[in-house]
Amino acid sequence: TTDEIRCSATQEQLRGKLQQLRVRAMLMMRALRVAKKELKTIVTHAVTAGNSLNVTLISLKSQLEYLRGNFRKAIKVLNQCAAIPPPSLTYGPSLGVMYYNNLGVIHLGLGKPTVACLYLQKALQETQVAEDPSSTQSGDTLSSRPLYQLSSNVQPELYYNLGVTLLHMNKPDKAFDFLLEVLQVYSMNPRLWLRLAECCIAVHKSGLGEDIASKKSIVQGTVGVGIHRKICLATCVSDHNKKHYDPQSESDAAFPEPTLEFARLCLRNALTLLPENVSTASLTDEQEASGVMPELYPAGPSSPLRGTEVVSLRVSALACSAYVSLCLSDYSTALRHAETLLVAHPKIPGVYKLLGHLYAGEALISLGKVSEAVAHLDPRLVGDLTLSPSAQEAGQSPPFNISNQGWYPGTTATAMQVMRYNLSVAYTVRGELEKANNLLKEVWTESNGNMPAQVIMLAMYIQLRMGHVDVMKNIVKKNILLT
Amino acid sequence: MNLDVSNHPPIDTTALRLNLAELLSERPDTAKSAIPVIYSHPQPSPSSGLLSEVSQVKRTCEALLCGPRQTLAQQYFTPEIIRLTPPLHIAEDELVWITPVDRAEHKVMYDSSMCILSGGDAEAKRLMAKAFKETLSLPQQQHLLAELDKDPRMVYHTGLTPPKLPDLVEHNPLIAIEVLLKLMQSSQITEYFSVLVNMEMSLHSMEVVNRLTTAVELPSEFVHLYISNCISTCETIKDRYMQNRLVRLVCVFLQSLIRNKIINVQELFIEVQAFCIEFSRIREAAALFRLLKQLDSGDTQATQEPAKK
């Protein structure tokens, strides 16, 4: 009967909608194999029923390819949007917003943040265009619009994407403003707090120059002429520490500006929000297929975090906390964070292990416990410098190409040099000048003339402490061009 | 002022030096590790400056010793640690993917049936609960009766149970009457009747039964049982004053029942007659007796002999 036919037709529609929701949930859980199967059935259904793909399905297909790491294919699928009829006005967000945003997301995955930024800004423009025609009446722009239009407002999501992209493009001040807007809506996302802190650190660092200073800054200049000429060395070559110039400009640490004090607060929030004792085991294929849910932790507006991601977030947050504490001269806190970092997880990436030991060493030297510092600054502790978690999990995770941002040190050799240099500083402070000098000579010869200024300064310092002023002057003559 | 000190013997500075050493030993190594920044670096060739020697010295000293903030002479340097900045956190699936969906499907569902009836329900229940404990005011009674009238099934939800009936009868007989009338169809009514019959006789309970008898067809055994109860209560009551009152009430009640032909006098004749004779001192009982006689003689002309004491 017609009634039954109509009933089954709506049942089919409902089933289709439920399947779509299921695929969306599986993509958020990163259960990719099951999602692929389900999506295939939906698409074949739609095709056999004679309907062309609608916007939702194209977006889901594209997202699946993106999550699997096939970025080019994802872009191709997304471009199919041009071929289908435009979706009805009740679809939200609009086609333009969706298209440009997702393109931007894919390009950041490809490792091209500048292109991604362009697309995301275009997406933002599209949101403003979509709003204009409906805001014809003055006042009351909210209640004159239907509910579905209001719920399609994705401004926080766009701001988040844009903020993270700008951070990767090394524009931390702009990124900070965008991410601060997202904070108004999603204040319980630990990753967002970490990104804000990273913006603050990047702003602070951009005022410093390189971690490894150039030789020119070693000598301030000369004074006097003739026999009365004096040479004046610099007080420091690279000053990471927060300078306190005038007390009047000291604003409240909680005032949202990209300062190190604000970074400290952000990192504290991030560490508090991260759940403890997460399981990092990932689901097997059988478990995925049978509908077992992994442990997920909310991180709006992004997809929820899995156990491994929580661990790596904690590692990053601890490293940043130790760094910020050192810059603010809070050595005991820095030591605490560094030690927590080193025991956070049995398999933390090599880079973070290196940083943990370096920060702990520096904190201990400043706290006067040089012998413990020496234990941390052991060059044998430098392993291989990987940024991502250990290799056995790499098989599952897609090859996201966010580059190392040219992070120094790029190789194990340079990392070893940094470690040895810091160790010789420890020996110097303790008074073992000979030992320090020998170690420094190793670093000197290894760097092949391309040594950082700090090495030269330490060499000069050691010679001066040992009373060899002429050796110091030799060093200056050979390595630094005097005006 | 003579600055020539060569004639004076050198002063013993060991105490000072000891003090200094003690002070320094308390400081951490980092505080003791600074050295000055200025070192003598004479030019190998003789200077060909325009200034004289003295002014050169003066110039140099001024450059070293004067200045707005830390002068060159006050500056020092210490060994620096290389502090590497941590790299940006690498996250796999961090950016938000936007999935367009048909938002018009997401309609807000309202349950329009909420809070419509339950308000009345709750009110009636509340009033009923009150009615068990105290006499309701007239508007309250009217409200409760109106609620009961509105929904015929309401009476089953009022929380009335047979054990609670006596309280209701005592405090609010009118309500009790209405409720019982509505419950006539239910299976529980016999239970209610038994409760009514066995409850303590009083004006209110009689009123209830009286009204019930006029309103509906009550089972005859119920009425008989009730009357028997009443009579036995009258006989057993000790208080003279109360007894008189009750007897009067019973008589009036019986008269009304008889006049309305609700009971068949013949069935209860002997009992009622005995009752009347026992309480013949009371006017109403005597009147009832005369009525009985009347009926008896009027009913049967010859078959039954008038009962004689």
Side-chain angles (χ1 to χ4, degrees):
Chain A
T1 65
T2 47
D3 269 347
E4 280 175 3
I5 293 173
R6 222 180 318 144
C7 210
S8 64
T10 43
Q11 263 199 357
E12 275 304 308
Q13 277 180 344
L14 279 175
R15 179 178 295 125
K17 289 198 181 24
L18 283 175
Q19 275 180 319
Q20 265 185 25
L21 286 171
R22 207 156 164 248
V23 170
R24 280 175 73 189
M26 283 193 263
L27 287 175
M28 284 178 100
M29 283 185 345
R30 251 68 58 81
L32 297 177
R33 276 183 236 274
V34 193
K36 186 171 180 212
K37 272 193 232 150
E38 188 93 15
L39 194 55
K40 214 167 169 193
T41 53
I42 302 179
V43 170
T44 42
H45 252 267
V47 168
T48 50
N51 311 328
S52 58
L53 292 182
N54 65 4
V55 172
T56 318
L57 287 175
I58 291 181
S59 164
L60 287 174
K61 267 186 85 179
S62 182
Q63 187 180 10
L64 180 63
E65 294 306 326
Y66 162 72
L67 286 174
R68 293 175 71 213
N70 309 330
F71 300 117
R72 301 276 167 205
K73 194 162 175 206
I75 298 178
K76 245 203 288 185
V77 171
L78 205 54
N79 282 330
Q80 288 174 7
C81 284
I84 58 163
S88 74
L89 281 174
T90 56
Y91 269 75
S94 76
L95 186 62
V97 170
M98 180 276 274
Y99 179 72
Y100 287 122
N101 174 75
N102 295 348
L103 262 187
V105 170
I106 297 174
H107 280 281
L108 190 65
L110 277 171
K112 300 182 180 170
T114 328
V115 183
C117 183
L118 280 171
Y119 280 127
L120 289 170
Q121 278 170 337
K122 265 196 135 159
L124 257 185
Q125 282 168 4
E126 290 284 324
T127 52
Q128 275 134 20
V129 162
E131 280 175 18
D132 276 333
S134 50
S135 61
T136 46
Q137 295 103 339
S138 57
D140 242 4
T141 46
L142 277 181
S143 56
S144 62
R145 293 198 287 189
L147 198 60
Y148 57 77
Q149 248 190 42
L150 293 175
S151 74
S152 323
N153 176 23
V154 284
Q155 206 189 50
E157 282 82 353
L158 288 173
Y159 277 1
Y160 183 79
N161 290 353
L162 204 46
V164 174
T165 312
L166 284 167
L167 185 59
H168 280 107
M169 276 169 69
N170 205 14
K171 293 199 178 153
D173 33 9
K174 292 214 189 89
F176 185 83
D177 291 329
F178 279 114
L179 291 175
L180 208 57
E181 286 296 319
V182 184
L183 202 62
Q184 313 290 330
V185 182
Y186 295 103
S187 55
M188 300 283 280
N189 180 357
R191 191 159 49 190
L192 177 56
W193 286 107
L194 175 64
R195 290 295 182 203
L196 276 169
E198 286 179 341
C199 288
C200 299
I201 293 176
V203 167
H204 166 77
K205 187 175 162 194
S206 62
L208 289 180
E210 298 288 314
D211 281 347
I212 307 302
S214 76
K215 294 187 218 174
K216 298 195 186 71
S217 45
I218 296 180
V219 175
Q220 271 190 58
T222 56
V223 167
V225 286
I227 41 170
H228 304 290
R229 189 171 68 164
K230 311 274 183 265
I231 181 170
C232 304
L233 307 172
T235 50
C236 60
V237 189
S238 81
D239 186 14
H240 283 257
N241 287 356
K242 186 87 178 105
K243 299 180 182 42
H244 293 279
Y245 284 129
D246 34 350
Q248 295 111 325
S249 77
E250 285 237 354
S251 48
D252 191 9
F255 193 74
E257 269 177 357
T259 58
L260 283 179
E261 285 88 351
F262 188 68
R264 180 160 55 180
L265 290 175
C266 291
L267 287 164
R268 206 193 301 168
N269 282 350
L271 286 170
T272 314
L273 283 169
L274 282 170
E276 307 262 335
N277 299 330
V278 293
S279 84
T280 54
S282 46
L283 293 182
T284 62
D285 289 342
E286 298 84 42
Q287 281 175 315
E288 261 184 31
S290 63
V292 173
M293 283 277 295
E295 285 239 345
L296 292 172
Y297 307 94
S302 324
S303 304
L305 301 169
R306 289 169 295 169
T308 44
E309 290 166 327
V310 171
V311 169
S312 91
L313 253 182
R314 169 167 279 124
V315 164
S316 298
L318 284 169
C320 288
S321 301
Y323 177 79
V324 169
S325 304
L326 282 175
C327 290
L328 293 171
S329 305
D330 187 358
Y331 298 114
S332 41
T333 317
L335 180 62
R336 196 163 38 90
H337 285 303
E339 287 178 338
T340 319
L341 170 63
L342 288 170
V343 299
H345 190 67
K347 286 182 280 186
I348 61 172
V351 165
Y352 289 104
K353 224 164 142 202
L354 170 73
L355 286 175
H357 285 298
L358 282 174
Y359 294 153
E362 180 179 350
L364 284 164
I365 291 176
S366 303
L367 287 171
K369 303 182 185 159
V370 183
S371 349
E372 292 172 38
V374 168
H376 272 289
L377 295 172
D378 189 351
R380 291 169 298 184
L381 290 171
V382 176
D384 61 337
L385 296 183
T386 50
L387 261 181
S388 54
S390 63
Q392 62 177 185
E393 316 242 3
Q396 284 185 347
S397 59
F400 278 82
N401 285 343
I402 304 180
S403 59
N404 278 8
Q405 318 114 36
W407 192 76
Y408 176 89
T411 64
T412 316
T414 32
M416 198 94 80
Q417 280 180 32
V418 172
M419 192 68 111
R420 281 211 212 106
Y421 167 80
N422 282 354
L423 183 56
S424 59
V425 170
Y427 287 143
T428 313
V429 169
R430 199 154 62 170
E432 297 168 341
L433 297 170
E434 277 301 323
K435 238 178 169 180
N437 204 17
N438 293 337
L439 197 53
L440 201 59
K441 275 200 203 133
E442 283 179 34
V443 179
W444 192 286
T445 45
E446 267 185 32
S447 21
N448 273 347
N450 196 17
M451 63 219 95
Q454 285 101 329
V455 173
I456 302 178
M457 276 211 85
L458 187 63
M460 287 159 54
Y461 177 92
I462 293 176
Q463 298 304 323
L464 285 169
R465 276 298 279 266
M466 294 204 286
H468 309 147
V469 184
D470 42 350
V471 180
M472 181 276 278
K473 284 199 239 171
N474 256 346
I475 297 174
V476 170
K477 226 183 285 189
K478 270 200 237 164
N479 294 289
I480 308 165
L481 291 169
L482 283 181
T483 51
Chain B
M1 204 158 71
N2 188 5
L3 290 173
D4 185 14
V5 297
S6 46
N7 290 335
H8 296 263
I11 306 174
D12 183 18
T13 53
T14 42
L16 266 179
R17 268 186 256 167
L18 275 175
N19 271 343
L20 181 63
E22 211 180 294
L23 210 65
L24 283 180
S25 68
E26 290 165 13
R27 299 283 166 82
D29 291 328
T30 43
K32 294 185 274 189
S33 61
I35 56 175
V37 297
I38 307 172
Y39 295 95
S40 156
H41 185 56
Q43 272 172 327
S45 53
S47 69
S48 53
L50 304 161
L51 307 164
S52 66
E53 179 87 12
V54 174
S55 49
Q56 268 181 20
V57 172
K58 191 161 175 242
R59 262 280 194 78
T60 317
C61 287
E62 275 172 5
L64 291 177
L65 295 170
C66 310
R69 280 178 306 160
Q70 259 200 340
T71 60
L72 284 171
Q74 288 172 318
Q75 289 175 9
Y76 56 87
F77 80 103
T78 56
E80 271 176 56
I81 294 230
I82 293 182
R83 193 187 294 161
L84 299 173
T85 37
L88 288 183
H89 172 71
I90 302 285
E92 257 179 35
D93 175 27
E94 181 176 4
L95 295 190
V96 186
W97 188 275
I98 291 183
T99 312
V101 286
D102 192 356
R103 305 271 170 168
E105 283 178 355
H106 304 162
K107 293 202 187 70
V108 182
M109 302 283 296
Y110 286 111
D111 181 5
S112 0
S113 67
M114 273 180 85
C115 295
I116 296 292
L117 288 179
S118 67
D121 240 19
E123 185 68 18
K125 280 197 192 133
R126 197 179 60 80
L127 280 175
M128 196 62 153
K130 211 170 167 198
F132 290 128
K133 293 185 245 162
E134 60 191 30
T135 311
L136 297 179
S137 69
L138 193 55
Q140 281 175 330
Q141 283 187 31
Q142 284 173 343
H143 182 73
L144 182 54
L145 290 174
E147 285 293 323
L148 288 172
D149 277 338
K150 239 197 296 187
D151 184 5
R153 299 203 61 77
M154 167 69 103
V155 72
Y156 295 106
H157 302 306
T158 51
L160 173 67
T161 57
K164 285 199 197 163
L165 186 62
D167 290 327
L168 187 60
V169 168
E170 283 313 306
H171 291 118
N172 294 288
L174 291 177
I175 308 281
I177 291 165
E178 289 300 318
V179 168
L180 284 173
L181 286 176
K182 286 191 167 51
L183 285 173
M184 283 306 287
Q185 313 302 322
S186 80
S187 53
Q188 296 171 316
I189 196 63
T190 42
E191 223 180 301
Y192 283 109
F193 285 157
S194 64
V195 166
L196 202 50
V197 156
N198 292 318
M199 81 181 253
E200 202 175 303
M201 202 191 88
S202 71
L203 174 61
H204 289 286
S205 72
M206 265 197 269
E207 196 179 319
V208 171
V209 177
N210 194 19
R211 281 288 297 277
L212 276 180
T213 53
T214 50
V216 293
E217 180 88 33
L218 285 182
S220 55
E221 60 269 13
F222 164 72
V223 184
H224 290 174
L225 196 50
Y226 187 69
I227 294 170
S228 310
N229 251 6
C230 290
I231 292 174
S232 58
T233 312
C234 287
E235 283 166 2
T236 53
I237 208 167
K238 299 280 194 301
D239 185 355
R240 199 71 187 210
Y241 174 70
M242 282 306 289
Q243 198 184 45
N244 293 350
R245 261 190 78 187
L246 278 172
V247 168
R248 280 209 224 102
L249 277 175
V250 174
C251 294
V252 170
F253 179 56
L254 283 170
Q255 276 193 15
S256 129
L257 284 181
I258 292 169
R259 290 226 168 91
N260 292 329
K261 299 214 177 30
I262 291 170
I263 55 172
N264 186 356
V265 191
Q266 300 309 321
E267 288 162 11
L268 286 171
F269 190 77
I270 297 170
E271 215 176 330
V272 177
Q273 195 180 31
F275 171 71
C276 291
I277 291 168
E278 191 177 337
F279 292 102
S280 55
R281 68 174 186 281
I282 300 175
R283 202 170 7 117
E284 283 81 359
L288 181 60
F289 188 67
R290 278 201 292 280
L291 180 59
L292 278 179
K293 282 279 178 226
Q294 239 183 2
L295 281 174
D296 191 39
S297 59
D299 264 347
T300 58
Q301 284 292 338
T303 49
Q304 204 165 7
E305 292 209 332
K308 287 201 184 62
K309 194 164 181 179

